[in-house]
Amino acid sequence: MNQFSDFNISPALKTRLAAVNFVTPTPVQEKAIPPALEGKDVLATAQTGTGKTLSFLIPIIERLQQSQNKNAKALILLPTRELAMQVEQAFRKIANGSNIQVALVCGGMNEGPQLQAIRKGARLIVATPGRLEDYLKRRLVKLDTVEILVLDEVDRMLDMGFKPAIRRIADSTPTQRQTLCYSATLDAQIKEIVRDYQSNPVRIEIGSVLKPSENVELQTFEVTQEKKLELLEHLLEKEKGSFLVFVRTKHGADRIAKKLSHSGWAATQIHGDRSQSQRNAALRSFSEGRHRVLVATDVAARGIDVKHVAHVVNYDMPKVAEDFVHRVGRTGRASSRGVASTFALPGERKDLRRIEKALSVTMKKFRVNVGAAANMSRQMVSA
């Protein structure tokens, strides 16, 4: 399989894919699309940025176009609004002219357009679990004609406490349906979901389920808390391109973005206390290059899918190896190169070693001594 034109899909869809320059499938697309087109359940472990979205949108479009039931629906469940919006946009891009209407169903947004799209007969629902379950309880949506169910980033949905909602939603769909499940990891909870909602799924594994991309250069700096901002500004001066900076708290995100802005850097922030319009605006300005720095908390960043992030900075150390992988996975996408820098306090050496051991990686280490940022390059010595 070398090109999308080799797939067993309609000529019209091939034409639309070519029109938006989708020519060569990624590994997850190459492996997941054929069994999905055959109606088989698929269980794929792959990191964000591997092309998962297209690997389920193409089978959905084909299934809905070919279904004998003109009321047949497809449902895609995702962990965050940002991710749901990106999937909806990707669908519109390749489904143009297909007459398949889509409804975006997620919290923090006006209900009116969502319910109007459902009432008008949207055949694809792209949703976050919380808002969709709310509509189910209020009997504003029916899922009894769902023929294909997609659970995307299911590990993140479970992390965010959506397991009961996923169960209630899946139980509202027909038992005879196709289910496609995507996850970066495969732990006991996910295996339970798979056991309950999939039938003999085709197993696809793209790369390590818990390993940073080889395209990302990993480096760590041992630094005191009061020197972190100075170090970050030094990296901004020294390196080119955009910076995605991860912090532990909402307050920290606000504080660091504000301080960077006062120092003349184009910085904005994204976290759970910001309104949906503020989050959308921050994400858009970062992806379009108007802001060079985006400071984010983990939960808010789960749906971020921005191309060409040059540098990820773990300003606060992630608690577990899995969070580390998700964070650094925002750079080095596709064939691009990226850099991930982790700021570790002197007391966090053990935590750093634990992450290295869990991921079987060795990071390039520097120790930052006390001094002015102007001289910092001379003070960074290999630890």
Side-chain angles (χ1 to χ4, degrees), residues 345-363:
L345 300 173
E348 292 177 326
R349 290 176 191 168
K350 282 185 180 178
D351 298 322
L352 191 63
R353 282 198 295 270
R354 191 160 53 241
I355 287 174
E356 285 184 312
K357 187 176 179 183
L359 302 178
S360 300
V361 297
T362 302
M363 303 182 220

Side-chain angles (χ1 to χ4, degrees), residues 2 6 20 42 62 70 87 105 115 126 133 136-137 139 155 166 178-179 233-234 240 250 274 293 332 334 347 362 380:
N2 295 314
D6 297 324
V20 290
V42 171
E62 284 295 290
K70 294 308 169 188
V87 168
V105 173
L115 294 172
V126 181
E133 189 182 28
L136 276 174
K137 285 177 181 173
R139 300 187 178 179
D155 52 334
I166 292 170
Q178 182 181 10
T179 305
E233 291 197 60
H234 169 76
K240 294 179 181 178
K250 300 167 192 174
R274 301 204 85 194
V293 185
T362 302
M380 288 179 193

Side-chain angles (χ1 to χ4, degrees), residues 146-166:
V146 168
E147 290 192 359
I148 181 165
L149 170 65
V150 177
L151 303 175
D152 190 21
E153 300 215 1
V154 67
D155 52 334
R156 285 299 178 190
M157 288 198 283
L158 297 178
D159 282 348
M160 295 166 77
F162 284 133
K163 186 177 179 181
I166 292 170

Side-chain angles (χ1 to χ4, degrees), residues 277-339:
S277 60
Q278 286 175 319
R279 290 163 75 170
N280 292 346
L283 202 53
R284 189 163 54 248
S285 67
F286 179 63
S287 63
E288 292 173 359
R290 293 194 304 277
H291 282 102
R292 186 185 174 199
V293 185
L294 178 64
V295 187
T297 55
D298 278 310
V299 171
R302 279 171 188 160
I304 292 176
D305 187 12
V306 177
K307 293 175 182 175
H308 313 307
V309 174
H311 206 127
V312 166
V313 175
N314 292 313
Y315 193 92
D316 294 322
M317 248 226 326
K319 290 179 181 177
V320 294
E322 186 182 339
D323 286 339
F324 182 90
V325 171
H326 276 279
R327 287 181 179 189
V328 304
R330 308 297 166 178
T331 187
R333 309 290 284 269
S335 59
S336 304
R337 304 292 298 175
V339 179

Side-chain angles (χ1 to χ4, degrees), residues 78-220:
L78 306 116
T80 67
R81 285 177 293 233
E82 287 80 12
L83 199 53
M85 291 164 70
Q86 287 164 15
V87 168
E88 184 221 17
Q89 288 163 7
F91 172 78
R92 290 185 186 278
K93 196 173 179 181
I94 64 166
N96 184 30
S98 69
N99 294 322
I100 301 171
Q101 300 304 310
V102 58
L104 179 67
V105 173
C106 32
M109 299 172 74
N110 191 339
E111 283 189 2
Q114 301 181 28
L115 294 172
Q116 189 177 24
I118 291 168
R119 290 191 197 106
K120 282 187 174 179
R123 297 183 66 199
L124 171 62
I125 297 174
V126 181
T128 51
R131 176 59 65 89
L132 183 60
E133 189 182 28
D134 176 51
Y135 285 179
L136 276 174
K137 285 177 181 173
R138 290 157 60 194
R139 300 187 178 179
L140 297 172
V141 65
K142 286 186 176 180
L143 303 178
D144 55 344
T145 59
V146 168
E147 290 192 359
I148 181 165
L149 170 65
V150 177
L151 303 175
D152 190 21
E153 300 215 1
V154 67
D155 52 334
R156 285 299 178 190
M157 288 198 283
L158 297 178
D159 282 348
M160 295 166 77
F162 284 133
K163 186 177 179 181
I166 292 170
R167 287 201 168 280
R168 284 189 283 268
I169 290 165
D171 288 344
S172 300
T173 67
T175 51
Q176 295 300 312
R177 57 152 203 277
Q178 182 181 10
T179 305
L180 311 178
C181 186
Y182 294 80
S183 179
T185 59
L186 195 61
D187 62 17
Q189 274 200 97
I190 296 161
K191 287 175 182 174
E192 185 183 330
I193 292 282
V194 169
R195 187 178 64 244
D196 291 348
Y197 294 112
Q198 290 195 296
S199 175
N200 299 317
V202 175
R203 179 77 176 90
I204 293 162
E205 187 175 332
I206 304 300
S208 168
V209 296
L210 193 65
K211 197 171 180 67
S213 165
E214 292 180 359
N215 292 339
V216 181
E217 180 187 343
L218 303 175
Q219 57 187 25
T220 69

Side-chain angles (χ1 to χ4, degrees), residues 267-282:
T268 187
Q269 70 271 37
I270 184 169
H271 57 67
D273 278 354
R274 301 204 85 194
S275 70
Q276 187 60 36
S277 60
Q278 286 175 319
R279 290 163 75 170
N280 292 346

